[in-house]
Structures are given as structure tokens and as C-alpha cells.
Amino acid sequence: MAESNGVIAVRGSGRPVGRYGLRFVALGYLLVLLAAPVAMVFYRAFRHGLGPIWSSLTTSEARSAIEVTLIVAVSAVVLNTLFGVGAALLLVRRQFPGRHLLDVLVDIPQAVSPIVVGLALILVYGKFGFFGSWIERNGLKIIFSLPGMVLATAFVSLPLVVRSVAPVLAEIGDEQEQAARTLGASSWQTFRRITFPSIRDALAYGVVLSLARSLGEYGAVTVVSGHVVGKTVTLTLFIDERLQNFDQTAAYSAAVLLAIIAMGSLLISRRLRTRSRSRA
Amino acid sequence: MSISVRNVSKTFAQFKALDNVSVDIPTGSLTALLGPSGSGKSTLLRVIAGLDTADEGTVSIEDRDATHLPPQRRGVGFVFQHYAPFKHMTVYDNIAFGLTVRKASKAETKAKVTELLELVHLEKFQTRYPAQLSGGQRQRMALARALAVEPRVLLLDEPFGALDAQVRKELRTWLRRLHDEMHVTTVIVTHDQEEAMEVADEVVVLQDGRVQQVGAPAEVYEHPANDWVMSFLGPVTHFGDLLVRPHDLDLAHEPSDDALPATVVRVTRLGFQTRVDMESKGAPIYAQLAREATGRLTLEPGAQVHVRHVRGESVPARVGATPIADDVL
């Protein structure tokens, strides 16, 4: 188990002081950085019991924020799943000019700050943007509405599905797919019956990761959302807005909700990852 | 002709895998594509199956041009070197796959798969997954899976390569019997001369992407087209400027016109045969003698003998071509 967490246990590494010292530093660091702040959020939220949490999460604004978050996150995840599987297949199974470029492009969202992503989307799709004016003339609105938020969210979580699926595709190789072809299977049958079952766990892992990332996205979304209350405010934006208005109970309650969803996803993804590894 | 390959060439990056290859494979025969690694034999098989496409040339299967047909429409069964089992399916589902994608009825599929399970002796293993099978069982499952769609042509890529010696021999004999019962045109790729000789009706010898010789096993062994084929198919030794089989040489103490004088260097007894290493005019030469032949000679290091080529084929040894002299007994 130690290896699967990326930690290598070194046994008998000298004096007990050194050994315990290292543990103390590692755990202390995590406590200061992670455990204490998260615990504080929970403490603040639950300080007066469940009642205030419930009422602050059932206001029409909060309910709308939850709804918008789910719509945006689920749409972004669907887009990324389709693109992710397609891109992974292209990258691993095909040789074509521009393959290396695609490989590099896929990782760009991880390197670029989400704010920059948001700004870039405005430049392209905004009212005075490259496509924006044409799009608006045709009655569509992307920036300061849901489609823009979906695009921004999809952009920042784009590599997660590709990078979960591609290594598994590379590892299983294409012999099973070739065998299916010689047995008379069409491309679609080969994908559905051979490729998909082999990448299913890795794909689920990527989907959960990108869902967690999408639910928590703030930077890119805040730029393109326009903060229209009840329409384009997600949970993260809602938390920010409540904090600005000194409504701490609502802010902490929403934060706890997000934290619980995120931790839930993390637990699921862990189980999926161990399952896909033990099978391979 | 069941399979007809015409002037096929195929290049990977800089490497010329097939160089103007033409081969005809008669209906119902079992043909071996024999060659060392890198000779293009597997590429030729994949081109026939449609898994690789030829840069030039044509392939026709059962008199139908198949050059541009995708693999699923060629009516070929392909058995991969590492069997390519569908890991997430049971043995039964693996074998049934070709019928399932053709949307055959449940009853029809069941009848066919049951018949095949019996044929490959895997009835007891039908609910197992490939990971729970031995190498030989996986091999037989792969064969049954390929046969399920009743292919016009069965193609096997190094089918016994990953098995241990004992299982290999058994499966080889079994495959030959199977072929004699089913009469489906079969092509196997192998680098093992003995395997090709034992199993095939016809052998296609390939080297560097070119066909060196085509013929019945005995014919290519006894009448090799050139020194390379001769040394690839069996043991050879230099007899003057000629390449000969060491078991075609005889030794005598008395000189004769057609004999080469030589000095014995080493004598090795190998069961019923004796290998005599000698030196003749500074060049090494060796003979493989039957027991009764060694009885009438006194052979020990330093002894003077006369070597004669008494039977079999000889081909001129090309300058610079160094045959594999002594790795085959």
C-alpha cells in the first residue's frame, strides 16, 4: 500500500530521533496546511447546530447556486469525457502530423492560471470578441451566461480524463482490438466490447477527478459568469459573495457542502484507482 | 489459389520489411512462412490479414481482390503470437465473440461454441477468464475463437513461440491433425525450421523481406536455392569452396581423388552420433558420423584423415556470407 500512495517506506534509517522527527515534520505540515483550516470550516459551520446550515442552504439564492454548479459541472464533465476518450485514443492509437502538438496542448490548462483562461474566453466569445459579435447577432449568449461557464470549467479540467485514460490504453496495447477486427467487429463494436471495458475504471477515475475539479472551479468561472444572482452564480461564487457580505453562516455552510462532495469524490476515485490497478 | 500475394512491398520508416514479395498459397494447404526475425514473415501475414496495408502490390483471397478490404471483411481467422485474449471475458465469451458481433442467435452460438470447446479440449474451462489459463490453454482458446467464424483462411503468427518445449511439440502435432480434419487453408509464421518442416505441406523461406525459396519441406532442405537457405535450414560446414551438410561427409584414413586431407581437432560423442571437428588447410570443417562409421576409424586429436562428400546437396559458399555453422545438431 505504501508504494501506491507514492511514499516509499525506508526501514531502519538510523536513529529514532531522525525517524520520529521526520514524521513529526510531515504530519505537522499537513496539520497546519490542511487539517486545521478544513476543521475550522466545519467547526464554524456546525457551531450552532444543523438548523442554521439547513436554512442558509435552502434560500432561493443558495438553491440556485447548487443548481447552477451541478449544471455547469456535469456539462463540463460530459464534454471532457467525450473529448478525453477521443483524444486519448488519438494520442495512443494513431500516428498523425500534429500528434505531439495535441499532446502538449492537452496539458496547457494545467499550466495556465484559470483567470487567464477566463479572460481568453472573453476575448474570443465576448461581446466585442473574435466570434462573440457574430454569435450575439445570432441570438446566442456565451459570456456572462451558462455556456461560457461550462466552457471555462471544461477548459480547466480538460487534461484529467485524457491523462487518466491514455496510459491504460497504452498499457493494454492494440492486439485485442486487432483480434476483434479480424473476428468481424466494426470499429464501434470493437470500442464498445473491447476497448471500453478495458478503460472503464480508468475513465471513471478521470471522470470523478474532473467532476471534483469542476465543482470547485472558481477563477475561470468568476471572470466569465458576470455574477447574475440566481442565474450564473455557482457555489464557489456564492461563498465568495456571502463572505463579502459578512454572512459567515451561509459561506461556511456552502463551503462544507463543497468539501463533503469533494472528499466523497476523492474516496470514490481512490477505490476506483486501486481496483483498476489490481486488475491490470 | 486460396491466397495470392503479388509484388507486395512494405516499408516501416526506413526499414524495408517486404520487398516485392509474391506468394501463392493453395486452397486447403498448410503453409509455413519461415525466416529469422526481421525477415518480414510476420508483416506478410499481417498484410494478408489486412492488419497492415501494403505500400505496393495486391492481395487476393479466394480469387477476390482483398487489397483494400478492412480485416473484418476478409474472412480470415488470425491467431496472435501472444494470443490477444479478451481479458475481461470468459473462455466461452471469447470464443463466442465473432458470432456475437455477427448477431448470431443464442442457440446457434451455443451449439458452435460447445463444438469448438470440445475440439480444443476446453469444455471444463469455459467459465474461466484468460488469466486463469495456462499458455497452452490460452493458445487453444485463441484458435477456437478464430475458427468460430468459419474463416476461409486461418493465419497463425508464431503460434507456439511463447510455450515451453514439451507443450510446443504436443500442440504442433495436434494442429497438424486438426488441419487434416478441417482442411481450412492455414498459414503459420515461424522462425523454427524444425517446426516448419514437421507441420507444413509447403515452406516459404524469407530473408530480408524477400522470398528465397518455396517448396515442400524435404525439397527445400535437400535442394536449397542458395547458401543462405541451406545454412538457415540445417547444419552446414565448409567443404573447400562448397557448403555441405556435415552428415553428408564421410571420413577415411586412405587418400582418394575427391577427398580433402584434414587433421582431427576434437571428437565429441552425442548419443548415436559423433561429431568430428577437423582442420583442413587452416580452415575448420566438421563431420557428423553414425556410430558404425566411427567404429572402423581410429579418431583422436591429431589423427590424419581424408574427408569426402558422399551424398546430398552442395552449394557454392558466397564470399563474405558466413553461415550459421554449428548451432543446430
Side-chain angles (χ1 to χ4, degrees), chain A residues 229-258:
Chain A
V229 176
K231 279 200 174 137
T232 66
V233 173
T234 62
L235 268 177
T236 50
L237 302 180
F238 175 77
I239 293 170
D240 187 40
E241 185 253 333
R242 289 289 92 194
L243 267 182
Q244 307 285 341
N245 290 305
F246 304 104
D247 182 359
Q248 296 203 342
T249 313
Y252 289 133
S253 305
V256 161
L257 183 64
L258 267 183

Side-chain angles (χ1 to χ4, degrees), chain A residues 171-172 175-187 189-190 193-195 197-198, chain B residues 46 51 71-72 76 78 80 84-89 97-98 100-103 145-146 149:
Chain A
E171 193 187 305
I172 57 170
E175 274 211 338
Q176 292 184 55
E177 290 163 15
Q178 290 181 358
R181 301 305 291 270
T182 65
L183 291 167
S186 63
S187 312
Q189 284 173 319
T190 305
R193 293 174 181 276
I194 306 299
T195 316
S198 319
Chain B
R46 292 175 62 85
L51 295 171
Q72 66 266 32
V76 299
F78 198 99
F80 291 80
F86 302 142
K87 288 184 187 154
H88 57 287
M89 293 184 196
F97 185 85
T100 314
V101 296
R102 278 175 176 69
K103 309 207 166 29
R145 184 176 71 179
V149 297

